[in-house]
Coordinates of all heavy atoms in Angstrom, one line a residue:
M1 N 163.6 -135.4 118.5 CA 162.6 -134.5 119.1 C 161.3 -134.5 118.3 O 160.2 -134.4 118.8 CB 163.2 -133.1 119.1 CG 162.5 -132.1 120.0 SD 162.6 -132.4 121.7 CE 161.3 -131.5 122.4
Q2 N 161.4 -134.6 116.9 CA 160.2 -134.6 116.1 C 159.4 -135.9 116.5 O 158.1 -135.9 116.3 CB 160.6 -134.7 114.6 CG 161.1 -133.4 114.1 CD 160.1 -132.2 114.4 OE1 158.9 -132.3 114.3 NE2 160.7 -131.1 114.9
N3 N 160.0 -136.9 116.8 CA 159.2 -138.1 117.2 C 159.0 -138.3 118.6 O 158.5 -139.4 119.0 CB 160.1 -139.4 116.7 CG 159.9 -139.5 115.2 OD1 158.8 -139.4 114.7 ND2 161.0 -139.9 114.5
S4 N 159.3 -137.3 119.4 CA 159.1 -137.4 120.8 C 157.5 -137.3 121.1 O 156.7 -136.8 120.3 CB 159.7 -136.2 121.6 OG 158.9 -135.0 121.4
V5 N 157.1 -137.9 122.2 CA 155.7 -138.0 122.6 C 155.2 -136.5 122.7 O 154.0 -136.2 122.5 CB 155.5 -138.8 123.8 CG1 156.1 -138.2 125.1 CG2 154.1 -139.1 124.0
I6 N 156.0 -135.6 123.1 CA 155.6 -134.2 123.3 C 155.1 -133.5 122.0 O 154.1 -133.0 121.9 CB 156.7 -133.4 124.0 CG1 157.1 -134.0 125.3 CG2 156.3 -131.9 124.2 CD1 158.3 -133.4 126.0
S7 N 156.0 -133.7 121.0 CA 155.6 -133.1 119.7 C 154.5 -133.9 119.0 O 153.7 -133.3 118.4 CB 156.8 -132.9 118.8 OG 157.4 -134.2 118.5
R8 N 154.5 -135.1 119.2 CA 153.5 -136.0 118.6 C 152.0 -135.7 119.1 O 151.0 -135.9 118.5 CB 153.7 -137.4 118.7 CG 154.8 -137.9 117.8 CD 154.7 -139.4 117.5 NE 155.8 -139.8 116.5 CZ 155.7 -140.9 115.9 NH1 154.8 -141.8 116.1 NH2 156.6 -141.2 115.0
T9 N 152.0 -135.2 120.4 CA 150.7 -134.9 121.0 C 150.4 -133.5 120.8 O 149.5 -132.9 121.4 CB 150.7 -135.3 122.4 OG1 151.8 -134.7 123.2 CG2 150.8 -136.8 122.6
G10 N 151.3 -132.7 120.1 CA 151.0 -131.3 119.7 C 151.3 -130.3 120.9 O 150.7 -129.3 121.0
Q11 N 152.1 -130.8 121.8 CA 152.4 -130.0 123.0 C 153.8 -129.4 123.1 O 154.1 -128.8 124.1 CB 152.2 -130.8 124.3 CG 150.8 -131.4 124.3 CD 150.6 -132.1 125.6 OE1 150.0 -131.5 126.6 NE2 150.8 -133.4 125.7
L12 N 154.5 -129.3 121.9 CA 155.7 -128.7 121.8 C 155.7 -127.2 122.1 O 156.6 -126.7 122.8 CB 156.4 -129.0 120.4 CG 157.9 -129.1 120.4 CD1 158.5 -130.1 121.3 CD2 158.4 -129.4 119.0
W13 N 154.7 -126.6 121.7 CA 154.6 -125.2 121.9 C 154.5 -124.8 123.4 O 155.0 -123.8 123.8 CB 153.4 -124.5 121.2 CG 152.0 -125.0 121.8 CD1 151.3 -126.1 121.4 CD2 151.3 -124.3 122.8 NE1 150.2 -126.1 122.2 CE2 150.2 -125.1 123.0 CE3 151.4 -123.1 123.5 CZ2 149.1 -124.7 123.9 CZ3 150.5 -122.7 124.5 CH2 149.4 -123.6 124.6
K14 N 153.8 -125.7 124.2 CA 153.8 -125.5 125.6 C 155.2 -125.5 126.2 O 155.5 -124.8 127.1 CB 152.9 -126.5 126.2 CG 151.4 -126.4 125.8 CD 150.7 -127.5 126.5 CE 149.2 -127.6 126.0 NZ 148.5 -128.8 126.5
L15 N 155.9 -126.5 125.7 CA 157.3 -126.7 126.2 C 158.2 -125.4 125.9 O 158.9 -124.9 126.7 CB 158.0 -128.0 125.6 CG 159.4 -128.2 126.1 CD1 159.5 -128.5 127.6 CD2 160.0 -129.3 125.3
A16 N 158.0 -124.9 124.6 CA 158.7 -123.7 124.1 C 158.4 -122.5 125.0 O 159.2 -121.8 125.4 CB 158.3 -123.5 122.7
V17 N 157.0 -122.3 125.3 CA 156.6 -121.2 126.1 C 157.2 -121.4 127.6 O 157.8 -120.3 128.0 CB 155.0 -121.1 126.3 CG1 154.6 -120.2 127.4 CG2 154.4 -120.8 125.0
A18 N 157.3 -122.5 128.1 CA 157.8 -122.7 129.4 C 159.3 -122.4 129.5 O 159.8 -121.7 130.3 CB 157.6 -124.2 129.9
V19 N 160.0 -122.9 128.4 CA 161.5 -122.7 128.4 C 161.7 -121.2 128.1 O 162.7 -120.6 128.7 CB 162.1 -123.6 127.3 CG1 163.5 -123.2 127.0 CG2 162.0 -125.0 127.6
I20 N 161.0 -120.6 127.3 CA 161.3 -119.2 126.9 C 161.1 -118.3 128.2 O 161.9 -117.5 128.6 CB 160.3 -118.6 125.8 CG1 160.8 -119.2 124.4 CG2 160.3 -117.1 125.8 CD1 159.9 -119.1 123.4
L21 N 160.0 -118.6 129.0 CA 159.7 -117.8 130.2 C 160.8 -118.0 131.2 O 161.3 -117.1 131.9 CB 158.3 -118.2 130.8 CG 157.1 -117.7 130.2 CD1 155.9 -118.3 130.7 CD2 157.1 -116.2 130.3
L22 N 161.2 -119.3 131.3 CA 162.4 -119.6 132.2 C 163.6 -118.9 131.8 O 164.2 -118.3 132.7 CB 162.6 -121.2 132.3 CG 161.9 -122.0 133.2 CD1 162.2 -123.5 132.9 CD2 162.3 -121.7 134.6
L23 N 164.0 -118.9 130.6 CA 165.2 -118.2 130.1 C 165.0 -116.7 130.3 O 166.0 -116.1 130.8 CB 165.5 -118.5 128.6 CG 165.9 -119.9 128.3 CD1 166.2 -120.2 126.9 CD2 167.2 -120.3 129.2
V24 N 164.0 -116.1 129.8 CA 163.7 -114.7 130.0 C 163.8 -114.3 131.4 O 164.5 -113.3 131.8 CB 162.4 -114.2 129.3 CG1 162.0 -112.8 129.8 CG2 162.4 -114.4 127.9
G25 N 163.1 -115.1 132.2 CA 163.1 -114.7 133.7 C 164.4 -114.8 134.4 O 164.7 -114.2 135.4
S26 N 165.4 -115.7 133.9 CA 166.7 -115.9 134.6 C 167.8 -115.1 133.9 O 168.8 -115.0 134.5 CB 167.0 -117.3 134.7 OG 166.8 -118.1 133.4
I27 N 167.5 -114.6 132.6 CA 168.6 -113.9 132.0 C 168.4 -112.4 131.9 O 169.3 -111.6 132.2 CB 168.8 -114.5 130.6 CG1 169.3 -115.9 130.7 CG2 169.8 -113.7 129.7 CD1 169.3 -116.7 129.3
V28 N 167.2 -112.0 131.5 CA 166.9 -110.6 131.2 C 167.3 -109.7 132.5 O 167.8 -108.6 132.3 CB 165.5 -110.4 130.7 CG1 165.1 -109.0 130.6 CG2 165.3 -111.1 129.4
P29 N 166.8 -110.1 133.7 CA 167.1 -109.2 134.8 C 168.6 -108.9 135.0 O 168.9 -108.0 135.8 CB 166.4 -109.9 136.0 CG 165.5 -111.0 135.4 CD 166.0 -111.3 134.1
A30 N 169.4 -109.8 134.5 CA 170.9 -109.6 134.6 C 171.4 -108.4 133.9 O 172.4 -107.8 134.2 CB 171.7 -110.8 134.1
F31 N 170.6 -107.9 132.9 CA 171.0 -106.8 132.2 C 170.2 -105.5 132.8 O 169.0 -105.5 132.7 CB 170.6 -106.8 130.7 CG 171.3 -108.0 130.0 CD1 170.8 -109.2 129.9 CD2 172.6 -107.8 129.5 CE1 171.4 -110.2 129.2 CE2 173.3 -108.8 128.9 CZ 172.7 -110.1 128.8
E32 N 170.9 -104.6 133.5 CA 170.3 -103.6 134.0 C 169.5 -102.7 133.2 O 168.4 -102.2 133.5 CB 171.4 -102.7 134.8 CG 171.1 -102.7 136.3 CD 172.3 -102.1 137.0 OE1 172.6 -100.9 137.1 OE2 173.1 -103.0 137.6
S33 N 169.9 -102.6 131.9 CA 169.2 -101.7 131.0 C 167.8 -102.2 130.6 O 167.1 -101.5 130.0 CB 170.1 -101.5 129.7 OG 170.3 -102.8 129.1
S34 N 167.6 -103.5 130.9 CA 166.4 -104.1 130.5 C 165.2 -103.5 131.3 O 164.0 -103.6 131.0 CB 166.4 -105.7 130.7 OG 166.4 -106.0 132.0
G35 N 165.6 -103.1 132.6 CA 164.6 -102.5 133.4 C 163.7 -103.6 134.2 O 162.7 -103.3 134.9
M36 N 164.1 -104.9 133.9 CA 163.3 -106.0 134.6 C 164.0 -106.3 136.0 O 165.2 -106.6 136.0 CB 163.2 -107.2 133.7 CG 162.3 -108.3 134.3 SD 162.4 -109.9 133.4 CE 161.4 -109.4 131.9
S37 N 163.2 -106.3 137.0 CA 163.8 -106.6 138.3 C 163.9 -108.1 138.5 O 163.2 -108.9 137.8 CB 162.9 -106.0 139.4 OG 161.7 -106.7 139.4
W38 N 164.7 -108.5 139.4 CA 164.8 -110.0 139.7 C 163.5 -110.6 140.2 O 163.2 -111.8 140.0 CB 165.9 -110.3 140.7 CG 167.3 -110.2 140.1 CD1 168.2 -109.2 140.3 CD2 167.9 -111.1 139.2 NE1 169.3 -109.5 139.5 CE2 169.1 -110.7 138.8 CE3 167.4 -112.3 138.6 CZ2 169.9 -111.4 137.9 CZ3 168.2 -113.0 137.6 CH2 169.4 -112.5 137.3
T39 N 162.7 -109.7 140.9 CA 161.4 -110.1 141.3 C 160.5 -110.6 140.2 O 160.0 -111.7 140.1 CB 160.7 -109.1 142.2 OG1 161.7 -108.6 143.2 CG2 159.5 -109.7 142.9
V40 N 160.4 -109.7 139.2 CA 159.7 -110.0 138.0 C 160.3 -111.2 137.3 O 159.5 -112.1 136.9 CB 159.6 -108.7 137.1 CG1 158.9 -109.1 135.8 CG2 158.9 -107.6 137.8
G41 N 161.5 -111.2 137.1 CA 162.1 -112.3 136.5 C 161.9 -113.7 137.1 O 161.6 -114.7 136.5
T42 N 161.9 -113.7 138.4 CA 161.7 -114.9 139.2 C 160.3 -115.4 139.0 O 160.0 -116.6 138.9 CB 162.0 -114.7 140.7 OG1 163.4 -114.3 140.8 CG2 161.8 -116.0 141.5
I43 N 159.4 -114.5 139.1 CA 158.0 -114.7 138.9 C 157.7 -115.3 137.5 O 157.1 -116.4 137.3 CB 157.0 -113.4 139.0 CG1 157.0 -113.1 140.5 CG2 155.6 -113.8 138.5 CD1 156.4 -111.7 140.7
L44 N 158.3 -114.8 136.5 CA 158.3 -115.2 135.1 C 158.7 -116.7 135.0 O 158.1 -117.6 134.4 CB 159.0 -114.4 134.1 CG 158.4 -113.1 133.6 CD1 159.3 -112.4 132.6 CD2 157.0 -113.4 132.9
A45 N 160.0 -116.9 135.6 CA 160.5 -118.3 135.6 C 159.6 -119.3 136.3 O 159.4 -120.4 135.7 CB 161.9 -118.2 136.2
V46 N 159.1 -118.9 137.5 CA 158.3 -119.8 138.2 C 157.0 -120.1 137.4 O 156.5 -121.3 137.3 CB 157.9 -119.2 139.6 CG1 156.9 -120.1 140.3 CG2 159.2 -119.2 140.4
V47 N 156.4 -119.0 136.9 CA 155.2 -119.2 136.0 C 155.4 -120.1 134.9 O 154.6 -121.0 134.5 CB 154.6 -117.8 135.6 CG1 153.6 -118.0 134.4 CG2 154.0 -117.0 136.7
G48 N 156.6 -120.0 134.2 CA 156.9 -120.8 133.1 C 157.1 -122.2 133.4 O 156.6 -123.1 132.8
Y49 N 157.8 -122.4 134.6 CA 158.0 -123.8 135.0 C 156.7 -124.4 135.5 O 156.3 -125.6 135.0 CB 158.9 -123.8 136.2 CG 159.3 -125.1 136.7 CD1 160.1 -126.0 136.0 CD2 158.7 -125.6 137.9 CE1 160.4 -127.2 136.5 CE2 158.9 -126.9 138.3 CZ 159.8 -127.7 137.6 OH 160.1 -129.0 138.1
A50 N 155.8 -123.7 136.2 CA 154.6 -124.3 136.6 C 153.6 -124.5 135.4 O 153.0 -125.6 135.4 CB 153.8 -123.2 137.5
F51 N 153.7 -123.7 134.3 CA 152.9 -123.9 133.2 C 153.3 -125.2 132.5 O 152.5 -126.0 132.1 CB 153.1 -122.7 132.2 CG 152.4 -122.9 130.9 CD1 151.0 -122.8 130.8 CD2 153.1 -123.2 129.8 CE1 150.3 -123.0 129.6 CE2 152.5 -123.5 128.5 CZ 151.1 -123.3 128.4
G52 N 154.6 -125.3 132.4 CA 155.1 -126.5 131.7 C 154.7 -127.8 132.5 O 154.3 -128.8 131.9
V53 N 154.8 -127.7 133.8 CA 154.5 -128.9 134.6 C 153.1 -129.3 134.6 O 152.6 -130.4 134.4 CB 154.9 -128.7 136.1 CG1 154.3 -129.6 137.0 CG2 156.5 -128.8 136.2
Y54 N 152.2 -128.2 134.6 CA 150.7 -128.5 134.7 C 150.0 -128.6 133.3 O 149.1 -129.3 133.2 CB 150.0 -127.4 135.5 CG 150.3 -127.5 136.9 CD1 151.2 -126.7 137.6 CD2 149.6 -128.5 137.7 CE1 151.4 -127.0 139.0 CE2 149.8 -128.7 139.1 CZ 150.7 -127.8 139.7 OH 150.9 -128.1 141.0
A55 N 150.6 -128.0 132.3 CA 149.9 -128.0 131.0 C 150.3 -129.1 130.1 O 149.5 -129.6 129.3 CB 150.1 -126.6 130.3
I56 N 151.5 -129.6 130.3 CA 151.8 -130.7 129.4 C 151.6 -132.1 130.1 O 152.2 -132.4 131.1 CB 153.5 -130.6 129.1 CG1 153.7 -129.3 128.5 CG2 153.9 -131.8 128.2 CD1 155.3 -129.0 128.3
R57 N 150.6 -132.8 129.5 CA 150.1 -134.0 130.1 C 149.7 -135.0 129.0 O 149.5 -134.6 127.9 CB 149.0 -133.7 131.1 CG 147.9 -132.9 130.5 CD 147.0 -132.3 131.5 NE 146.4 -133.4 132.2 CZ 145.4 -133.3 133.2 NH1 144.9 -132.1 133.5 NH2 144.9 -134.3 133.8
C58 N 149.7 -136.2 129.4 CA 149.2 -137.2 128.4 C 147.7 -137.1 128.1 O 146.9 -137.0 129.0 CB 149.5 -138.6 129.1 SG 149.0 -139.9 128.0
P59 N 147.5 -137.0 126.8 CA 146.0 -136.8 126.4 C 145.2 -138.1 126.7 O 143.9 -138.0 126.8 CB 146.1 -136.6 124.9 CG 147.5 -136.3 124.6 CD 148.4 -137.0 125.6
D60 N 145.9 -139.1 126.9 CA 145.2 -140.4 127.2 C 144.9 -140.7 128.7 O 143.8 -140.8 129.2 CB 146.0 -141.6 126.6 CG 145.1 -142.7 126.1 OD1 144.0 -142.4 125.7 OD2 145.5 -143.9 126.2
C61 N 146.0 -140.7 129.5 CA 145.9 -141.0 130.9 C 146.0 -139.8 131.8 O 145.7 -140.0 133.0 CB 147.0 -142.1 131.3 SG 148.7 -141.4 131.3
G62 N 146.3 -138.6 131.3 CA 146.3 -137.4 132.0 C 147.5 -137.3 132.9 O 147.6 -136.3 133.7
N63 N 148.6 -138.1 132.7 CA 149.8 -138.1 133.6 C 150.5 -136.8 133.3 O 150.7 -136.4 132.0 CB 150.7 -139.2 133.3 CG 151.9 -139.3 134.2 OD1 152.8 -138.5 134.0 ND2 151.8 -140.1 135.2
R64 N 150.9 -136.0 134.3 CA 151.7 -134.8 134.1 C 153.1 -135.2 133.9 O 153.8 -135.4 134.9 CB 151.4 -133.8 135.2 CG 150.0 -133.2 135.2 CD 150.0 -131.9 136.1 NE 148.7 -131.3 135.9 CZ 147.6 -131.5 136.6 NH1 147.6 -132.4 137.6 NH2 146.5 -130.9 136.3
W65 N 153.6 -135.2 132.7 CA 154.9 -135.7 132.3 C 156.1 -135.0 133.0 O 156.9 -135.7 133.6 CB 155.1 -135.7 130.8 CG 154.3 -136.7 130.1 CD1 153.8 -137.9 130.6 CD2 153.8 -136.6 128.8 NE1 153.1 -138.5 129.6 CE2 153.0 -137.7 128.6 CE3 153.8 -135.5 127.8 CZ2 152.3 -137.9 127.3 CZ3 153.2 -135.7 126.6 CH2 152.5 -136.9 126.3
F66 N 156.0 -133.7 133.1 CA 157.1 -133.0 133.7 C 157.1 -133.0 135.2 O 158.1 -132.8 135.9 CB 157.3 -131.6 133.1 CG 157.9 -131.6 131.8 CD1 157.1 -131.7 130.5 CD2 159.3 -131.6 131.6 CE1 157.7 -131.8 129.3 CE2 159.9 -131.8 130.4 CZ 159.1 -131.8 129.2
W67 N 155.9 -133.2 135.8 CA 155.8 -133.4 137.2 C 156.4 -134.7 137.5 O 157.2 -134.8 138.4 CB 154.4 -133.3 137.7 CG 154.2 -133.6 139.1 CD1 153.5 -134.6 139.6 CD2 154.7 -132.8 140.2 NE1 153.6 -134.5 141.1 CE2 154.3 -133.4 141.4 CE3 155.4 -131.6 140.2 CZ2 154.6 -132.9 142.6 CZ3 155.7 -131.1 141.5 CH2 155.3 -131.8 142.6
S68 N 156.1 -135.8 136.8 CA 156.7 -137.1 137.0 C 158.2 -137.0 136.7 O 158.9 -137.6 137.6 CB 156.0 -138.1 136.1 OG 154.6 -138.2 136.3
A69 N 158.6 -136.3 135.8 CA 160.0 -136.1 135.5 C 160.7 -135.4 136.6 O 162.0 -135.6 136.9 CB 160.3 -135.5 134.1
A70 N 160.0 -134.5 137.3 CA 160.7 -133.7 138.4 C 161.0 -134.6 139.6 O 161.9 -134.5 140.3 CB 159.7 -132.5 138.8
L71 N 160.0 -135.7 139.7 CA 160.2 -136.6 140.8 C 161.1 -137.8 140.4 O 161.9 -138.3 141.2 CB 158.9 -137.2 141.1 CG 157.7 -136.3 141.5 CD1 156.4 -137.0 141.7 CD2 158.1 -135.6 142.9
D72 N 161.2 -138.1 139.0 CA 162.0 -139.1 138.7 C 162.7 -138.8 137.3 O 162.1 -138.7 136.3 CB 161.2 -140.4 138.5 CG 162.1 -141.6 138.0 OD1 163.3 -141.4 137.8 OD2 161.5 -142.7 137.9
A73 N 164.0 -138.4 137.4 CA 164.8 -137.8 136.3 C 164.9 -138.7 135.1 O 165.1 -138.3 134.0 CB 166.0 -137.2 136.7
S74 N 164.6 -140.0 135.3 CA 164.8 -141.0 134.3 C 163.7 -140.9 133.3 O 163.7 -141.5 132.2 CB 164.8 -142.4 134.8 OG 163.6 -142.8 135.4
W75 N 162.7 -140.0 133.6 CA 161.6 -139.9 132.7 C 161.9 -139.0 131.5 O 161.3 -139.0 130.5 CB 160.4 -139.2 133.4 CG 159.5 -140.2 134.0 CD1 159.9 -141.1 135.0 CD2 158.1 -140.4 133.9 NE1 158.9 -141.8 135.5 CE2 157.8 -141.4 134.8 CE3 157.1 -139.9 133.1 CZ2 156.4 -142.0 134.9 CZ3 155.9 -140.3 133.2 CH2 155.5 -141.4 134.1
Y76 N 162.9 -138.0 131.7 CA 163.2 -137.1 130.7 C 163.7 -137.7 129.4 O 163.2 -137.3 128.3 CB 164.4 -136.1 131.1 CG 163.9 -135.1 132.1 CD1 164.3 -135.1 133.4 CD2 163.0 -134.1 131.7 CE1 163.9 -134.2 134.4 CE2 162.6 -133.2 132.6 CZ 163.0 -133.2 134.0 OH 162.6 -132.3 134.9
G77 N 164.5 -138.8 129.4 CA 164.9 -139.5 128.2 C 163.8 -140.0 127.4 O 163.6 -139.5 126.2
P78 N 162.9 -140.8 127.9 CA 161.7 -141.2 127.1 C 160.8 -140.1 126.7 O 160.3 -140.2 125.5 CB 160.9 -142.2 128.1 CG 161.9 -142.5 129.1 CD 162.9 -141.4 129.2
L79 N 160.7 -139.1 127.4 CA 159.7 -137.9 127.0 C 160.3 -137.3 125.8 O 159.5 -136.8 124.9 CB 159.7 -136.9 128.1 CG 158.7 -137.1 129.3 CD1 158.7 -136.0 130.3 CD2 157.2 -137.3 128.7
F80 N 161.6 -137.2 125.7 CA 162.1 -136.4 124.5 C 162.5 -137.3 123.4 O 162.8 -136.9 122.3 CB 163.4 -135.7 125.0 CG 163.1 -134.5 125.7 CD1 163.3 -134.4 127.1 CD2 162.4 -133.3 125.1 CE1 163.0 -133.3 127.8 CE2 162.1 -132.2 125.9 CZ 162.4 -132.1 127.2
R81 N 162.6 -138.7 123.6 CA 163.1 -139.6 122.5 C 162.0 -140.5 122.1 O 162.1 -141.1 121.0 CB 164.4 -140.3 122.9 CG 165.6 -139.4 122.7 CD 166.9 -140.1 123.1 NE 167.5 -139.5 124.2 CZ 167.7 -140.0 125.4 NH1 167.3 -141.3 125.6 NH2 168.3 -139.4 126.4
K82 N 161.0 -140.9 122.9 CA 160.1 -142.0 122.5 C 158.8 -141.4 122.2 O 158.4 -140.4 122.7 CB 160.0 -142.9 123.7 CG 161.3 -143.6 124.0 CD 161.1 -145.1 124.2 CE 162.4 -145.9 124.3 NZ 163.1 -145.7 125.7
P83 N 158.1 -142.0 121.2 CA 156.7 -141.6 120.8 C 155.6 -142.1 121.7 O 154.4 -141.8 121.5 CB 156.6 -142.2 119.4 CG 157.4 -143.3 119.4 CD 158.5 -143.2 120.4
A84 N 156.0 -142.7 122.8 CA 154.9 -143.3 123.7 C 155.0 -142.6 125.1 O 156.0 -142.2 125.6 CB 155.1 -144.8 123.8
C85 N 153.8 -142.6 125.7 CA 153.7 -142.0 127.0 C 154.4 -143.0 128.0 O 154.2 -144.2 128.0 CB 152.2 -142.0 127.4 SG 151.9 -141.6 129.2
P86 N 155.3 -142.4 128.8 CA 156.1 -143.3 129.8 C 155.1 -143.9 130.8 O 155.5 -144.9 131.4 CB 157.0 -142.4 130.4 CG 157.1 -141.0 129.6 CD 155.7 -141.0 129.0
A87 N 154.0 -143.3 131.1 CA 153.1 -143.8 132.1 C 152.1 -144.9 131.6 O 152.2 -146.0 132.2 CB 152.2 -142.6 132.7
C88 N 151.4 -144.6 130.6 CA 150.4 -145.7 130.1 C 150.9 -146.4 128.9 O 150.2 -147.3 128.4 CB 149.1 -145.0 129.8 SG 149.1 -143.8 128.4
K89 N 152.1 -146.0 128.3 CA 152.7 -146.7 127.2 C 152.0 -146.5 125.9 O 152.2 -147.2 125.0 CB 152.9 -148.2 127.6 CG 153.5 -148.5 128.9 CD 154.9 -148.1 128.9 CE 155.5 -148.5 130.3 NZ 156.6 -147.6 130.7
R90 N 151.0 -145.7 125.9 CA 150.3 -145.5 124.7 C 151.2 -144.8 123.6 O 151.8 -143.7 124.0 CB 148.9 -144.7 124.9 CG 148.4 -144.4 123.6 CD 147.0 -144.0 123.5 NE 146.8 -143.5 122.2 CZ 145.7 -142.7 121.9 NH1 144.8 -142.4 122.7 NH2 145.6 -142.3 120.6
E91 N 151.2 -145.3 122.5 CA 152.0 -144.6 121.3 C 151.2 -143.7 120.6 O 150.1 -144.1 120.2 CB 152.6 -145.7 120.5 CG 153.8 -145.2 119.8 CD 154.7 -146.3 119.1 OE1 154.8 -147.4 119.7 OE2 155.0 -146.2 117.9
F92 N 151.7 -142.5 120.4 CA 150.9 -141.5 119.6 C 151.5 -141.4 118.2 O 152.7 -141.4 118.0 CB 151.0 -140.2 120.3 CG 150.4 -140.2 121.6 CD1 151.1 -140.4 122.8 CD2 148.9 -140.0 121.7 CE1 150.4 -140.5 124.0 CE2 148.3 -140.0 123.0 CZ 149.1 -140.2 124.1
G93 N 150.6 -141.4 117.1 CA 151.1 -141.3 115.8 C 151.5 -139.8 115.4 O 151.1 -139.0 116.1
G94 N 152.2 -139.8 114.3 CA 152.6 -138.4 113.9 C 151.3 -137.7 113.4 O 150.3 -138.3 113.0
R95 N 151.4 -136.4 113.2 CA 150.2 -135.6 112.8 C 150.4 -135.4 111.3 O 151.4 -135.1 110.9 CB 150.0 -134.3 113.6 CG 150.9 -134.3 114.8 CD 150.7 -132.9 115.4 NE 149.4 -133.0 116.2 CZ 148.6 -131.9 116.4 NH1 149.0 -130.7 115.9 NH2 147.6 -132.1 117.2
Ligands
ZN1 ZN1 149.7 -141.8 129.2

């Protein structure tokens, strides 16, 4: 994960925000005491997913990695394991 292209391009926080929103939106409404309705939860989850898809992109070629991964699941492996953009093959150095 540390060597993934996502963390090397400094976009790990965007992924974290997207995942947290997705989790909160799909888990918190299950607890009645939380006071969060399923409508609000669904909106949170959708916003989180959309944010991840639109905000995480290659700084070089602009490819939206998670959009591409949504269309072709074989992208997930390289995104999380390789330091290079799966679209333009540009390798990003560590920070
Ligand atoms: Zn690229």
Side-chain angles (χ1 to χ4, degrees):
M1 196 69 199
Q2 285 311 312
N3 280 322
S4 74
V5 67
I6 299 168
S7 59
R8 285 202 175 195
T9 54
Q11 301 188 91
L12 207 54
W13 69 271
K14 295 179 187 171
L15 182 66
V17 167
V19 169
I20 288 167
L21 282 176
L22 268 170
L23 288 179
V24 168
S26 47
I27 293 171
V28 174
F31 299 95
E32 240 163 80
S33 58
S34 71
M36 187 189 282
S37 70
W38 281 110
T39 311
V40 174
T42 305
I43 291 170
L44 276 183
V46 168
V47 165
Y49 183 74
F51 174 76
V53 164
Y54 283 100
I56 301 174
R57 51 197 299 190
C58 176
D60 210 34
C61 68
N63 187 285
R64 289 196 170 91
W65 291 327
F66 282 92
W67 176 245
S68 300
L71 300 174
D72 180 357
S74 68
W75 277 57
Y76 284 112
L79 279 179
F80 287 108
R81 274 182 248 120
K82 298 225 169 81
C85 170
C88 65
K89 312 293 180 204
R90 172 162 169 198
E91 202 169 314
F92 296 93
R95 346 177 84 210

